[in-house]
């Protein structure tokens, strides 16, 4: 086993090595590739024999532009927070798809601009600057496209890891929302100047349908559904309860909250309408099963927003979006379950520990923390274990600070039939990578390790 990862780059690499829910993602990936193949076919049908450098450059620019426009639609779709997509695949994986698709789209769009300008300049025998001015000033909808493309480049730069980490989350979040405006501005020149669409009503209608569907999903799930949820349930802070050093539970009261349809293991994106917090929307998991008039989240102070939760006043209005997440009882396929939690990852695991169907020793929870004092919700966990006859274990650092490693041998000693278990795993990336590797080495199939990244 390697040591726990310390750098942010290492944590991202760890998350890439943990790839749960593969079978659920494959059909969606194949569908996306089929769409790309259709775009390639459209370009192929409208591309005559290519002769000379100018035509090679121009046709390559057309193809990269078409693919860039298609991938850009997928980028926006992945921002729409469609419940069926997030619950089937998992919010963490959709977020990674969104980041990866954004990089592909930006590279394709930059390639499109460079190749088209170079091809037109070669054909006209002019310089790149003169040709750029001609294209921008003389072609329809190109000024809007230039502004939109510049916005996409800026958004791509601020989303790069080094820049993103130096920027307050709220600033990045609101600048990131300008993606919608950038896509709107770049859309129109695709139909006005694209050789595949001019005079081809079928292709034009299909492109409108693609972007229209994505727009409708964004409006519905990002605007109308949250508005309806919050007007109907009218949530407010009931109380803030300290649980452990730097850890608090926020009790949220509302009307008929059980009708939201949330499940243990899921999370909401929460916005607390208090001074200094109303502009931030952050994901926190439910730490108890939803009740008719009460929801609860338990949060560890790791940043400005999470630290501010301890000072929330009762009666503070709450704006929530969700529920999201795929780490629910629906993922279970075996009678026996092992749950591994670390740090603040105990919050969704605690809710699952109370609600997962099972009997007695078929349920095991292993809680990893730095010290006994850091075992948040421990009394509740003990009570649940007693009532259900489940096994509750913890692993904390020794007096010298030594960390007890989670290894395949220790897991096998704890559960000799561990390969017959479903495993729910939630915690910091370093712990998650170690536990995932140990579980695979112990014989647990990938499809039965249910994990969502703690850093969306």
């Amino acid at each position: 086993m390697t040591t726990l990862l310390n750098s942010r780059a290492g944590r991202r690499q760890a998350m890439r090595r943990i790839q749960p829910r593969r079978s659920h993602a494959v059909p969606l990936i194949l569908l996306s590739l089929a769409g790309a193949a259709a775009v390639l076919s459209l370009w192929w049908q409208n591309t005559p024999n290519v002769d000379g450098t100018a035509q090679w450059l121009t046709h390559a620019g057309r193809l990269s532009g078409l693919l860039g426009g298609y991938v850009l639609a997928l980028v926006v779709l992945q921002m729409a927070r469609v419940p069926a997509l997030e619950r089937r695949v998992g919010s963490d994986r959709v977020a990674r798809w969104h980041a990866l698709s954004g990089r592909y789209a930006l590279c394709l769009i930059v390639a499109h601009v460079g190749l088209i300008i170079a091809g037109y300049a070669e054909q006209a025998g002019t310089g790149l600057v003169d040709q750029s001015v001609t294209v921008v000033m003389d072609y329809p909808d190109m000024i809007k496209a230039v502004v939109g493309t510049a916005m996409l480049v800026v958004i791509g730069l601020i989303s790069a890891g080094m820049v993103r980490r130096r920027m307050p989350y709220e600033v990045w979040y609101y600048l990131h929302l300008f993606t919608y405006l950038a896509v709107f501005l770049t859309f129109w020149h695709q139909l006005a100047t694209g050789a595949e669409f001019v005079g081809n009503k079928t292709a034009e209608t299909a492109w409108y349908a693609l972007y229209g569907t994505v727009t409708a999903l964004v409006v519905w799930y990002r605007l109308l559904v949250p508005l309806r949820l919050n007007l109907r349930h009218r949530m407010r802070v009931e109380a803030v309860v300290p649980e452990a050093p730097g850890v608090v539970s926020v009790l949220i009261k509302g009307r008929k909250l059980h009708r939201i349809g949330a499940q243990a293991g899921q999370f909401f994106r929460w916005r607390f309408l208090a001074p200094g917090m109303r502009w931030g929307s952050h994901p926190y998991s439910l730490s108890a099963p939803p009740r008719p008039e009460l929801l609860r989240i338990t949060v560890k102070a790791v940043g400005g927003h999470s630290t501010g939760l301890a000072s929330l006043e009762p009666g503070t209005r709450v704006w929530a979006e969700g529920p999201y997440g795929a780490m629910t009882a629906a993922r279970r396929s075996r009678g026996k379950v092992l749950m591994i939690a670390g740090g603040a990852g105990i919050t969704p695991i605690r809710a699952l520990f109370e609600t997962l169907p099972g009997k007695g020793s078929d349920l095991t929870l292993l809680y990893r923390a730095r010290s006994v004092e850091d075992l948040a919700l421990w009394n509740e966990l003990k009570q649940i274990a007693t009532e259900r006859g489940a096994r509750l274990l913890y692993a904390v650092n020794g007096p010298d600070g030594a960390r007890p490693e989670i290894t395949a041998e220790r897991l096998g000693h704890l559960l000799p039939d561990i390969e017959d278990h479903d495993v729910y795993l939630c915690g910091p990336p370093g712990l998650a990578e170690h536990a995932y590797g140990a579980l695979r080495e112990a014989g647990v199939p990938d499809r039965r390790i249910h994990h969502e990244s703690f850093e969306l």
Side-chain angles (χ1 to χ4, degrees):
M1 279 288 189
T2 58
T3 58
L4 291 174
L5 300 179
N6 294 316
S7 67
R8 290 179 180 267
R11 290 199 293 270
R12 290 194 299 273
Q13 187 178 6
M15 290 303 99
R16 287 195 290 270
R17 285 197 284 267
I18 301 175
Q19 298 185 1
R21 304 178 299 280
R22 184 176 299 140
S23 61
H24 299 280
V26 167
L28 297 172
I29 294 173
L30 292 177
L31 183 62
S32 300
L33 292 176
V39 171
L40 180 61
S41 174
L42 177 64
W43 171 82
W44 182 265
Q45 293 173 7
N46 287 274
T47 302
N49 293 331
V50 181
D51 183 24
T53 302
Q55 288 192 17
W56 276 107
L57 292 171
T58 302
H59 291 307
R62 284 173 44 218
L63 177 58
S64 59
L66 278 172
L67 289 173
Y70 171 72
V71 176
L72 201 56
L74 296 184
V75 169
V76 177
L77 175 62
Q78 291 154 6
M79 294 174 69
R81 297 177 184 168
V82 179
L85 177 62
E86 300 218 353
R87 293 173 187 172
R88 183 176 178 82
V89 179
S91 297
D92 60 337
R93 197 164 198 180
V94 174
R96 290 197 294 273
W97 285 359
H98 171 70
L100 184 62
S101 300
R103 297 186 191 102
Y104 284 142
L106 188 58
C107 290
L108 286 166
I109 291 169
V110 171
H112 163 68
V113 173
L115 290 168
I116 284 291
I117 295 297
Y120 286 175
E122 177 72 18
Q123 186 175 9
T126 61
L128 294 176
V129 175
D130 290 340
Q131 188 60 49
S132 298
V133 173
T134 299
V135 168
V136 172
M137 301 307 298
D138 295 347
Y139 284 56
D141 294 313
M142 281 306 303
I143 293 179
K144 289 188 291 185
V146 169
V147 174
T149 300
M151 292 174 64
L152 288 173
V153 171
V154 171
I155 292 168
L157 291 175
I158 66 171
S159 297
M162 185 177 298
V163 179
R164 165 70 185 88
R165 288 192 293 272
R166 296 176 180 272
M167 184 177 296
Y169 172 81
E170 287 76 13
V171 174
W172 171 84
Y173 175 80
Y174 286 105
L175 288 176
H176 201 69
L177 291 179
F178 278 96
T179 301
Y180 296 126
L181 177 59
V183 172
F184 175 80
L185 292 173
T186 59
F187 173 76
W188 303 105
H189 91 286
Q190 300 175 51
L191 299 177
T193 63
E196 285 72 23
F197 302 112
V198 176
N200 187 339
K201 288 298 181 184
T202 301
E204 182 179 305
T205 301
W207 211 248
Y208 270 119
L210 171 64
Y211 273 81
T213 300
V214 170
T215 301
L217 290 172
V218 169
V219 171
W220 181 256
Y221 288 113
R222 293 297 299 266
L223 296 177
L224 299 182
V225 168
L227 180 63
R228 177 175 176 266
L229 182 150
N230 287 279
L231 290 177
R232 171 180 289 185
H233 299 288
R234 298 186 180 277
M235 288 176 275
R236 293 180 180 273
V237 172
E238 175 76 3
V240 178
V241 181
E243 301 286 2
V247 179
V248 298
S249 286
V250 182
L251 307 182
I252 299 164
K253 191 173 183 179
R255 300 187 303 188
K256 300 178 180 179
L257 297 178
H258 60 293
R259 294 189 176 180
I260 294 178
Q263 302 177 54
Q266 291 189 306
F267 68 92
F268 288 77
R269 288 179 169 87
W270 303 94
R271 187 187 306 274
F272 297 92
L273 305 185
M277 300 185 70
R278 64 181 67 248
W279 297 109
S281 175
H282 291 253
Y284 300 123
S285 298
L286 297 176
S287 61
R291 289 173 171 78
E293 305 294 335
L294 193 69
L295 298 176
R296 188 183 76 173
I297 59 174
T298 302
V299 181
K300 184 175 182 178
V302 294
H305 189 275
S306 55
T307 300
L309 297 182
S311 60
L312 285 174
E313 295 290 338
T316 300
R317 294 190 61 183
V318 181
W319 183 275
E321 298 179 38
Y324 302 115
M327 198 175 67
T328 66
R331 293 294 182 197
R332 184 176 179 180
S333 62
R334 289 292 188 273
K336 298 181 178 182
V337 176
L338 168 64
M339 287 162 272
I340 302 176
I346 191 60
T347 53
I349 295 296
R350 182 258 178 247
L352 287 167
F353 193 45
E354 180 178 347
T355 57
L356 275 177
K359 49 185 180 180
S361 59
D362 287 349
L363 298 176
T364 303
L365 170 57
L366 174 59
Y367 189 175
R368 173 76 176 87
R370 291 185 178 181
S371 66
V372 173
E373 291 75 19
D374 291 321
L375 295 170
L377 306 174
W378 184 249
N379 289 334
E380 292 183 18
L381 294 169
K382 288 195 298 182
Q383 182 178 350
I384 294 169
T386 300
E387 292 174 351
R388 305 196 65 184
R391 292 198 290 177
L392 175 62
L393 307 168
Y394 69 85
V396 298
N397 295 353
D400 59 351
R403 297 185 177 104
E405 299 288 351
I406 297 176
T407 64
E409 292 75 18
R410 290 181 178 178
L411 291 173
H413 178 74
L414 173 66
L415 298 169
D417 58 347
I418 189 171
E419 67 276 4
D420 295 326
H421 283 63
D422 271 294
V423 180
Y424 289 83
L425 171 62
C426 190
L431 170 68
E433 184 196 15
H434 278 276
Y436 178 83
L439 290 164
R440 296 292 288 122
E441 186 180 345
V444 181
D446 178 87
R447 66 182 180 277
R448 284 198 261 115
I449 302 175
H450 314 300
H451 169 267
E452 283 189 308
S453 171
F454 205 63
E455 294 185 347
L456 290 178

